[in-house]
Amino acid sequence: MAGNFAGTRGGDLDNANNPLALLYWNKDNIQKEVRLFGNAFAEVDILPNLTARTSFGIDYNNYNFRNYSIRNIEASEARGSNSLTTNNNYGWTWTWYNTLTYNVNLGDRHRFNVIAGTEAIKNYFETFDATRTNFFVDDLDNRYLSSGTGIQTNNGTASNWSLASEFAKINYGLDDKYLLDLTVRRDRSSRFAPEYRSAVFPAASAGWRISKENFFKPITLVDDLKFRVGFGQTGNQEIGNYNSFTQFSTNPITSFYDINGTRTSAVSGYELTQFGNIQAKWETTTSLNIGFDASLLKNRLSVGFDWYTRTTSDMLFPVQPPLTQGVATNPFRNIGSMRNRGVDLMIGYGDKIGASGLTYNINANFSTYRNVVTKTNGDPSTQYFGINDERIQNFVVTQQNYPIASFFGYTIDGIFQSNEEAKAHPVQFGNAASENVAGRFKFRDVNGDGVINSQDLSIIGSPHPKFTYGLNVSLNYKNFGLTVFGQGVQGNQIFNYVKYWTDFPTFGGNRSTRMLYQSWRPGSTDAVLPQLRSSDQVSIQPSTYYLESGSYFRMKNIQLTYQLPQALLSRLKLGATSVYIQGQNLFTVTKYSGMDPEINLRSYSSGNDRQIGVDGGSYPVAKTVLVGLNLSF
């Protein structure tokens, strides 16, 4: 585990290096939050088949956080003064949704449902913080800004965005056998420049319930069978609120200058902080889906299958302008397209066992997809980096003909076991004297030019799994019920960024047990790390050393429930009542050495597909055991 460290430091609560001391000193730094969340609607029947509905929802959040830091004379960087920072932030989002719905049946065969509507979303967020130092005493009653006597600073920001949409939808059914669904939606987002603000996204789907056809009725094995096909487009606007604007800000450290040459005062100025791109437009994903749903064996067996292909065009990606333009936040640009193609399969079976009263349901799902970037700027060698860390540079790349967010770095072919082996290898990073010796990583000469340098960087792995799967089992016997759910991922890789901090001498602090026990020494042919040295700026380069298998199976949930007998409930004048015990994330089967292999799915589900599968030290999921009681009266 990356959390098993070779050294620890302890002490009493006065020791600045003791984590318990830090917890104790921060116990009064509490965040207070007030949230209002709700929705109201009104509905009226204008005509017998025409209904109007309006709904308005709001999410309002106001929170205060006071962070007090006491004097800490024992810290590695001693703080001789105390300080208080107060944050007062609030934000709100409202959604207004309006629809007109018209339902009509023409005879017994034709069924129509028509919906037209509008949707509006508006968001606002504002933050204010102030800091002051030098408080005479650390008492709680004295922890207010006006009690300090030292330097005081304040900051304030705000942001907002809005989305307005109109849509229409028609559903048609003929004899409940032939189904048609047509949808069109027009969206306008404040995140784009006015000329690119609007986009139209159509969709259509059709279904054929073949099991209702006369020629299918002799097939008694199949109870219900429906084929379906769908085509549609969706848009993506997640580029931040002000991507189209070039932004400047003022900073006393970086944008003030003693232009008068007095050496006693500086004139305030502005610096470039964000490049704007007024040409960014909606990213569009076009999907084609073909599948079927079937029920067999008197509805005991259910099967669902989907084949899909999704092409994303005008991909929004933060692109670095030429460095001659300055240093600032990169704007999102439309760079190309990518394709996801895959299948989803769901199989379920449920039945009862004789007259014992035991019933069961077993559901399994399987998904697989293949991702490829089909186009960027026309040059297959063009690379867009999703992460550009100041210490370990550019290790996630998007490039034509490869999966999005591929891992980028050097390939390591082991460790030099002797000086003779090292001298026979191409010179590494221009320094054969220090890098071509026993105990060093052996980097691969990818381009075959006889030297190891940045030209040997290449795509070394992929975060995309070969497949994902899940299993859900439900058993019921008399008053007892048991549910079990597990899910897993197979064939993906994780870039274990935590190793950068724990396995190499990159900063002062604790180290992993790998560094202590598995670093190279003469004769240790099974070492995984190079020979220890006080300074190593080569071994830390992004490489296959950081890549690990991300495959796992996790028992997500187990719950045992007991329904109290009806006779007892009647005497107690209670409705349905049950007690249960539930376990969540009880165990995980994996070879990953980090805290949690599920990091890959978290990144992907969050929508940040430019850095899938990077473990930067996220907090693992907790094992939880719950005992509960459900009452009704």
Side-chain angles (χ1 to χ4, degrees):
M1 296 291 289
N4 295 333
F5 295 108
T8 58
R9 295 175 293 189
D12 56 29
L13 290 180
D14 293 327
N15 190 331
N17 295 320
N18 189 344
L20 292 177
L22 296 177
L23 290 174
Y24 178 78
W25 291 336
N26 286 281
K27 65 182 178 63
D28 296 313
N29 292 335
I30 301 173
Q31 176 174 309
K32 299 178 181 179
E33 182 174 358
V34 176
R35 185 177 184 185
L36 176 64
F37 181 83
N39 180 275
F41 74 92
E43 189 173 277
V44 59
D45 294 328
I46 302 175
L47 296 172
N49 295 320
L50 181 63
T51 301
R53 179 186 174 97
T54 182
S55 66
F56 185 83
I58 189 166
D59 184 0
Y60 177 86
N61 190 281
N62 190 328
Y63 65 92
N64 169 272
F65 180 61
R66 299 170 67 245
N67 184 40
Y68 188 83
S69 299
I70 70 170
R71 295 180 181 90
N72 186 358
I73 61 175
E74 294 184 356
S76 57
E77 297 179 1
R79 298 195 302 269
S81 66
N82 45 24
S83 66
L84 171 66
T85 299
T86 299
N87 295 81
N88 288 290
N89 304 328
Y90 79 94
W92 46 260
T93 301
W94 58 253
T95 303
W96 189 22
Y97 194 80
N98 302 279
T99 58
L100 278 174
T101 304
Y102 183 69
N103 293 296
V104 62
N105 294 330
L106 302 179
D108 296 330
R109 302 187 63 193
H110 303 278
R111 174 178 51 83
F112 288 90
N113 173 260
V114 181
I115 300 175
T118 64
E119 182 180 26
I121 304 174
K122 189 171 182 62
N123 169 272
Y124 180 81
F125 179 78
E126 183 172 328
T127 177
F128 172 80
D129 67 85
T131 300
R132 197 163 190 179
T133 60
N134 290 349
F135 291 78
F136 182 68
V137 294
D138 295 328
D139 294 348
L140 284 176
D141 293 339
N142 199 55
R143 296 184 184 182
Y144 294 93
L145 292 172
S146 60
S147 300
T149 60
I151 298 174
Q152 51 185 328
T153 59
N154 58 75
N155 298 280
T157 61
S159 65
N160 67 324
W161 64 271
S162 58
L163 177 72
S165 307
E166 299 83 36
F167 56 89
K169 182 177 182 180
I170 299 176
N171 289 315
Y172 170 70
L174 174 60
D175 294 332
D176 202 28
K177 290 190 297 186
Y178 311 106
L179 310 171
L180 181 65
D181 188 312
L182 303 175
T183 303
V184 63
R185 182 183 178 100
R186 177 175 178 258
D187 291 317
R188 288 163 290 150
S189 173
S190 65
R191 291 172 171 170
F192 300 102
E195 54 267 41
Y196 298 104
R197 188 160 290 170
S198 299
V200 177
F201 303 105
S205 63
W208 176 28
R209 183 165 277 113
I210 189 174
S211 56
K212 283 186 172 290
E213 298 288 357
N214 291 329
F215 66 80
F216 197 86
K217 291 180 179 180
I219 306 176
T220 58
L221 180 68
V222 179
D223 303 295
D224 186 64
L225 177 62
K226 181 176 72 174
F227 291 102
R228 46 187 166 73
V229 59
F231 173 85
Q233 291 184 328
T234 57
N236 175 32
Q237 55 151 354
E238 299 302 322
I239 58 173
N241 294 340
Y242 307 110
N243 186 74
S244 60
F245 296 96
T246 298
Q247 298 182 33
F248 297 84
S249 66
T250 182
N251 187 306
I253 298 176
T254 57
S255 64
F256 282 38
Y257 189 74
D258 184 17
I259 195 170
N260 296 321
T262 63
R263 297 188 178 182
T264 59
S265 63
V267 177
S268 61
Y270 285 85
E271 62 179 340
L272 178 66
T273 55
Q274 175 179 295
F275 295 103
N277 177 25
I278 62 173
Q279 295 182 327
K281 58 183 178 181
W282 284 84
E283 176 183 285
T284 302
T285 297
T286 303
S287 302
L288 173 64
N289 181 92
I290 300 173
F292 69 85
D293 299 306
S295 295
L296 303 89
L297 304 177
K298 296 183 179 180
N299 294 315
R300 290 193 294 266
L301 176 64
S302 61
V303 179
F305 175 82
D306 285 277
W307 173 90
Y308 64 86
T309 180
R310 299 186 183 117
T311 300
T312 300
S313 57
D314 296 320
M315 290 168 52
L316 288 166
F317 210 91
V319 179
Q320 172 68 55
L323 292 177
T324 53
Q325 296 186 23
V327 179
T329 300
N330 302 333
F332 281 79
R333 301 183 187 276
N334 302 99
I335 66 166
S337 60
M338 71 173 178
R339 183 185 69 236
N340 283 293
R341 183 173 291 165
V343 297
D344 295 327
L345 175 65
M346 188 281 294
I347 299 176
Y349 189 87
D351 200 359
K352 61 182 179 179
I353 299 178
S356 64
L358 175 63
T359 63
Y360 62 91
N361 283 281
I362 302 173
N363 292 280
N365 61 74
F366 172 88
S367 298
T368 182
Y369 72 93
R370 296 296 178 264
N371 173 276
V372 63
V373 176
T374 55
K375 179 183 176 183
T376 53
N377 64 350
D379 182 359
S381 64
T382 299
Q383 297 172 328
Y384 300 98
F385 293 97
I387 296 179
N388 187 357
D389 188 270
E390 62 181 2
R391 301 175 182 85
I392 182 167
Q393 298 286 328
N394 297 336
F395 56 85
V396 177
V397 68
T398 292
Q399 185 174 346
Q400 186 172 322
N401 300 324
Y402 292 93
I404 191 172
S406 294
F407 298 128
F408 187 74
Y410 295 97
T411 300
I412 293 177
D413 291 327
I415 298 175
F416 294 124
Q417 298 300 319
S418 66
N419 288 333
E420 291 73 20
E421 178 189 5
K423 298 306 179 186
H425 193 71
V427 173
Q428 300 191 148
F429 305 102
N431 194 338
S434 63
E435 295 307 324
N436 284 49
V437 294
R440 301 292 185 260
F441 273 147
K442 183 195 300 184
F443 292 88
R444 181 179 299 177
D445 183 11
V446 173
N447 64 355
D449 63 357
V451 295
I452 309 298
N453 53 30
S454 61
Q455 299 303 309
D456 295 299
L457 288 165
S458 64
I459 290 178
I460 57 176
S462 170
H464 299 274
K466 292 181 179 178
F467 61 88
T468 62
Y469 59 96
L471 181 66
N472 198 328
V473 178
S474 175
L475 301 173
N476 291 280
Y477 178 72
K478 295 183 178 180
N479 288 20
F480 290 92
L482 175 67
T483 59
V484 179
F485 171 62
Q487 58 91 213
V489 175
Q490 188 68 34
N492 63 298
Q493 292 175 298
I494 294 178
F495 194 100
N496 191 346
Y497 192 16
V498 177
K499 287 183 174 180
Y500 176 79
W501 305 100
T502 62
D503 291 8
F504 300 103
T506 53
F507 76 111
N510 291 330
R511 293 290 182 266
S512 69
T513 54
R514 280 187 299 269
M515 188 176 184
L516 180 63
Y517 297 115
Q518 297 181 306
S519 293
W520 187 90
R521 54 183 59 84
S524 58
T525 57
D526 60 344
V528 299
L529 278 163
Q531 188 176 33
L532 289 177
R533 45 183 170 165
S534 59
S535 178
D536 188 350
Q537 298 304 309
V538 173
S539 299
I540 64 174
Q541 297 291 325
S543 68
T544 52
Y545 172 72
Y546 297 95
L547 296 188
E548 297 187 42
S549 170
S551 301
Y552 72 89
F553 174 79
R554 170 165 287 165
M555 185 55 63
K556 300 288 287 186
N557 185 73
I558 300 177
Q559 180 171 321
L560 178 64
T561 303
Y562 176 71
Q563 299 281 347
L564 271 63
Q566 186 60 46
L568 175 61
L569 297 176
S570 298
R571 289 197 299 268
L572 298 176
K573 300 186 183 304
L574 294 175
T577 299
S578 62
V579 294
Y580 66 89
I581 180 170
Q582 180 184 40
Q584 298 175 349
N585 306 310
L586 293 183
F587 65 86
T588 303
V589 180
T590 183
K591 294 182 179 180
Y592 181 58
S593 67
M595 290 291 184
D596 190 351
E598 202 174 355
I599 179 69
N600 186 68
L601 293 185
R602 289 182 193 156
S603 300
Y604 193 69
S605 62
S606 69
N608 193 355
D609 55 6
R610 294 178 296 278
Q611 57 181 60
I612 314 168
V614 176
D615 185 356
S618 63
Y619 202 80
V621 296
K623 296 180 181 179
T624 305
V625 177
L626 300 173
V627 177
L629 172 67
N630 289 324
L631 286 172
S632 62
F633 299 92

